[in-house]
Amino acid sequence: MAGVKLVLVGSCRGASDEARVQELRNLATSLHLADSVEFILNQPYSVVKEWFGRASVGLHTMWNEHFGIGVVEMMAAGLVTVAHNSGGPKADIIVPLAGQTTGYLASTAEEYAGTLYDALTMNEQSLAQIRNDPRKSSERFSDEVLSTLFQRAV
């Protein structure tokens, strides 16, 4: 899989996040992967959207995410999305839509690796479907839909 690059996009909320990023940079260097890993940190949403537009796969690893708006954003961008098999992504977001897969869930390093390999080696027809179905599914979380649901509930 020549040409594959891991781009980590996100924000650092403080010293502990910055320390974690440095650990990841050091790990990439020690594994001789520094040229294949890039960190995009603390950027405006327009930059995040640009990266989503260039990416193939979206990876979200947070355990027990309460909702997972980042997961919804990756799906809306048409990324093959892989999220942790817990919390909001498991309960509400990466769920079948009309019987079609909207993304993948993983818990272990082996599950993430296998799913990423599958996503990166998928045939074009399957890839087109797994990009389109999640886009449709993400519309469930649009401002318009959520506003309508809220108004009905009140």
Side-chain angles (χ1 to χ4, degrees):
M1 284 194 273
V4 173
K5 187 170 198 169
L6 176 63
V7 180
L8 291 97
V9 179
S11 57
C12 289
R13 300 165 292 188
S16 64
D17 286 355
E18 290 169 8
R20 181 69 176 146
V21 168
Q22 189 56 52
E23 288 175 20
L24 293 170
R25 288 181 198 271
N26 294 343
L27 179 60
T29 299
S30 72
L31 295 172
H32 307 287
L33 295 172
D35 292 340
S36 298
V37 179
E38 186 168 349
F39 295 84
I40 308 298
L41 305 172
N42 303 320
Q43 296 296 307
Y45 187 61
S46 60
V47 173
V48 173
K49 284 176 39 176
E50 286 176 27
W51 277 101
F52 282 2
R54 296 169 54 187
S56 300
V57 178
L59 180 65
H60 193 279
T61 61
M62 183 175 179
W63 172 78
N64 222 16
E65 170 79 73
H66 62 283
F67 176 67
I69 194 64
V71 176
V72 173
E73 291 169 337
M74 289 185 283
M75 291 168 65
L79 300 181
V80 177
T81 304
V82 184
H84 196 274
N85 192 11
S86 64
K90 178 182 181 179
D92 301 314
I93 301 172
I94 299 185
V95 295
L97 174 69
Q100 300 300 314
T101 301
T102 59
Y104 300 97
L105 297 168
S107 297
T108 66
E110 293 78 15
E111 289 173 349
Y112 274 103
T115 302
L116 288 171
Y117 179 81
D118 291 347
L120 293 170
T121 59
M122 196 175 286
N123 69 52
E124 289 301 318
Q125 182 179 358
S126 297
L127 188 58
Q129 184 169 355
I130 194 65
R131 286 175 185 249
N132 191 44
D133 291 337
R135 279 188 180 119
K136 291 178 196 170
S137 179
S138 71
E139 293 170 3
R140 299 175 294 141
F141 304 105
S142 70
D143 289 343
E144 295 81 15
V145 170
L146 294 177
S147 176
T148 299
L149 292 173
F150 178 76
Q151 289 173 10
R152 283 184 196 159
V154 179

PDB file of all heavy atoms in Angstrom, residues 8 16 34 45 49-50 63 65 68 88 114 126 129:
ATOM      1  N   LEU A   8      -3.255  12.863  11.243  1.00  0.00           N
ATOM      2  CA  LEU A   8      -4.034  13.048  12.466  1.00  0.00           C
ATOM      3  C   LEU A   8      -4.488  14.493  12.519  1.00  0.00           C
ATOM      4  O   LEU A   8      -3.654  15.405  12.539  1.00  0.00           O
ATOM      5  CB  LEU A   8      -3.205  12.688  13.689  1.00  0.00           C
ATOM      6  CG  LEU A   8      -2.911  11.191  13.796  1.00  0.00           C
ATOM      7  CD1 LEU A   8      -1.553  10.893  13.224  1.00  0.00           C
ATOM      8  CD2 LEU A   8      -3.016  10.734  15.205  1.00  0.00           C
ATOM      9  N   SER A  16      -1.617  17.905  28.537  1.00  0.00           N
ATOM     10  CA  SER A  16      -1.665  16.445  28.433  1.00  0.00           C
ATOM     11  C   SER A  16      -1.885  16.008  26.979  1.00  0.00           C
ATOM     12  O   SER A  16      -1.294  15.018  26.535  1.00  0.00           O
ATOM     13  CB  SER A  16      -2.740  15.851  29.339  1.00  0.00           C
ATOM     14  OG  SER A  16      -4.027  16.267  28.937  1.00  0.00           O
ATOM     15  N   ALA A  34       7.971   8.334  10.303  1.00  0.00           N
ATOM     16  CA  ALA A  34       7.746   9.778  10.421  1.00  0.00           C
ATOM     17  C   ALA A  34       7.356  10.418   9.092  1.00  0.00           C
ATOM     18  O   ALA A  34       6.557  11.359   9.064  1.00  0.00           O
ATOM     19  CB  ALA A  34       8.991  10.461  10.996  1.00  0.00           C
ATOM     20  N   TYR A  45     -12.043  25.043  11.237  1.00  0.00           N
ATOM     21  CA  TYR A  45     -12.878  24.007  10.639  1.00  0.00           C
ATOM     22  C   TYR A  45     -12.709  23.944   9.120  1.00  0.00           C
ATOM     23  O   TYR A  45     -12.775  22.862   8.536  1.00  0.00           O
ATOM     24  CB  TYR A  45     -14.345  24.225  11.025  1.00  0.00           C
ATOM     25  CG  TYR A  45     -15.235  23.106  10.574  1.00  0.00           C
ATOM     26  CD1 TYR A  45     -15.037  21.803  11.038  1.00  0.00           C
ATOM     27  CD2 TYR A  45     -16.273  23.326   9.678  1.00  0.00           C
ATOM     28  CE1 TYR A  45     -15.846  20.756  10.619  1.00  0.00           C
ATOM     29  CE2 TYR A  45     -17.090  22.289   9.261  1.00  0.00           C
ATOM     30  CZ  TYR A  45     -16.868  21.008   9.725  1.00  0.00           C
ATOM     31  OH  TYR A  45     -17.666  19.979   9.305  1.00  0.00           O
ATOM     32  N   LYS A  49     -12.129  20.499   7.067  1.00  0.00           N
ATOM     33  CA  LYS A  49     -12.950  20.096   5.927  1.00  0.00           C
ATOM     34  C   LYS A  49     -12.097  19.818   4.693  1.00  0.00           C
ATOM     35  O   LYS A  49     -12.373  18.876   3.952  1.00  0.00           O
ATOM     36  CB  LYS A  49     -14.005  21.158   5.628  1.00  0.00           C
ATOM     37  CG  LYS A  49     -15.159  21.122   6.607  1.00  0.00           C
ATOM     38  CD  LYS A  49     -16.196  22.204   6.417  1.00  0.00           C
ATOM     39  CE  LYS A  49     -16.542  22.562   5.022  1.00  0.00           C
ATOM     40  NZ  LYS A  49     -17.625  23.541   4.902  1.00  0.00           N
ATOM     41  N   GLU A  50     -11.075  20.615   4.473  1.00  0.00           N
ATOM     42  CA  GLU A  50     -10.168  20.370   3.336  1.00  0.00           C
ATOM     43  C   GLU A  50      -9.504  19.002   3.465  1.00  0.00           C
ATOM     44  O   GLU A  50      -9.414  18.257   2.488  1.00  0.00           O
ATOM     45  CB  GLU A  50      -9.097  21.455   3.263  1.00  0.00           C
ATOM     46  CG  GLU A  50      -9.577  22.785   2.750  1.00  0.00           C
ATOM     47  CD  GLU A  50      -8.476  23.839   2.795  1.00  0.00           C
ATOM     48  OE1 GLU A  50      -7.284  23.472   2.722  1.00  0.00           O
ATOM     49  OE2 GLU A  50      -8.819  25.030   2.914  1.00  0.00           O
ATOM     50  N   TRP A  63     -12.763   6.051  23.170  1.00  0.00           N
ATOM     51  CA  TRP A  63     -13.590   5.072  23.845  1.00  0.00           C
ATOM     52  C   TRP A  63     -14.773   5.780  24.500  1.00  0.00           C
ATOM     53  O   TRP A  63     -14.616   6.820  25.144  1.00  0.00           O
ATOM     54  CB  TRP A  63     -12.762   4.331  24.899  1.00  0.00           C
ATOM     55  CG  TRP A  63     -13.585   3.447  25.773  1.00  0.00           C
ATOM     56  CD1 TRP A  63     -14.083   2.215  25.451  1.00  0.00           C
ATOM     57  CD2 TRP A  63     -14.044   3.736  27.090  1.00  0.00           C
ATOM     58  NE1 TRP A  63     -14.827   1.715  26.493  1.00  0.00           N
ATOM     59  CE2 TRP A  63     -14.816   2.636  27.519  1.00  0.00           C
ATOM     60  CE3 TRP A  63     -13.887   4.814  27.948  1.00  0.00           C
ATOM     61  CZ2 TRP A  63     -15.425   2.581  28.769  1.00  0.00           C
ATOM     62  CZ3 TRP A  63     -14.487   4.763  29.193  1.00  0.00           C
ATOM     63  CH2 TRP A  63     -15.244   3.662  29.600  1.00  0.00           C
ATOM     64  N   GLU A  65     -17.240   7.585  23.484  1.00  0.00           N
ATOM     65  CA  GLU A  65     -17.611   8.939  23.048  1.00  0.00           C
ATOM     66  C   GLU A  65     -19.094   9.138  23.322  1.00  0.00           C
ATOM     67  O   GLU A  65     -19.913   8.291  22.968  1.00  0.00           O
ATOM     68  CB  GLU A  65     -17.322   9.066  21.553  1.00  0.00           C
ATOM     69  CG  GLU A  65     -17.851  10.310  20.901  1.00  0.00           C
ATOM     70  CD  GLU A  65     -16.998  11.524  21.162  1.00  0.00           C
ATOM     71  OE1 GLU A  65     -15.902  11.614  20.585  1.00  0.00           O
ATOM     72  OE2 GLU A  65     -17.440  12.383  21.940  1.00  0.00           O
ATOM     73  N   GLY A  68     -20.344  11.909  19.268  1.00  0.00           N
ATOM     74  CA  GLY A  68     -19.399  11.654  18.188  1.00  0.00           C
ATOM     75  C   GLY A  68     -19.642  12.496  16.960  1.00  0.00           C
ATOM     76  O   GLY A  68     -19.746  11.976  15.855  1.00  0.00           O
ATOM     77  N   GLY A  88     -21.766   6.643  21.652  1.00  0.00           N
ATOM     78  CA  GLY A  88     -22.622   7.152  20.590  1.00  0.00           C
ATOM     79  C   GLY A  88     -22.384   6.540  19.226  1.00  0.00           C
ATOM     80  O   GLY A  88     -23.348   6.216  18.532  1.00  0.00           O
ATOM     81  N   GLY A 114      -7.400  -4.565  10.728  1.00  0.00           N
ATOM     82  CA  GLY A 114      -8.112  -5.339   9.715  1.00  0.00           C
ATOM     83  C   GLY A 114      -9.114  -4.500   8.948  1.00  0.00           C
ATOM     84  O   GLY A 114      -9.219  -4.590   7.721  1.00  0.00           O
ATOM     85  N   SER A 126     -17.737  -1.232  -4.148  1.00  0.00           N
ATOM     86  CA  SER A 126     -17.995  -1.274  -2.702  1.00  0.00           C
ATOM     87  C   SER A 126     -17.612   0.046  -2.052  1.00  0.00           C
ATOM     88  O   SER A 126     -18.309   0.546  -1.160  1.00  0.00           O
ATOM     89  CB  SER A 126     -17.203  -2.408  -2.056  1.00  0.00           C
ATOM     90  OG  SER A 126     -17.630  -3.648  -2.560  1.00  0.00           O
ATOM     91  N   GLN A 129     -20.253   2.706  -2.616  1.00  0.00           N
ATOM     92  CA  GLN A 129     -21.439   2.491  -1.785  1.00  0.00           C
ATOM     93  C   GLN A 129     -21.164   2.871  -0.334  1.00  0.00           C
ATOM     94  O   GLN A 129     -21.971   3.542   0.297  1.00  0.00           O
ATOM     95  CB  GLN A 129     -21.912   1.046  -1.861  1.00  0.00           C
ATOM     96  CG  GLN A 129     -23.193   0.827  -1.090  1.00  0.00           C
ATOM     97  CD  GLN A 129     -23.817  -0.524  -1.380  1.00  0.00           C
ATOM     98  OE1 GLN A 129     -23.348  -1.276  -2.219  1.00  0.00           O
ATOM     99  NE2 GLN A 129     -24.877  -0.830  -0.675  1.00  0.00           N
TER     100      GLN A 129
END
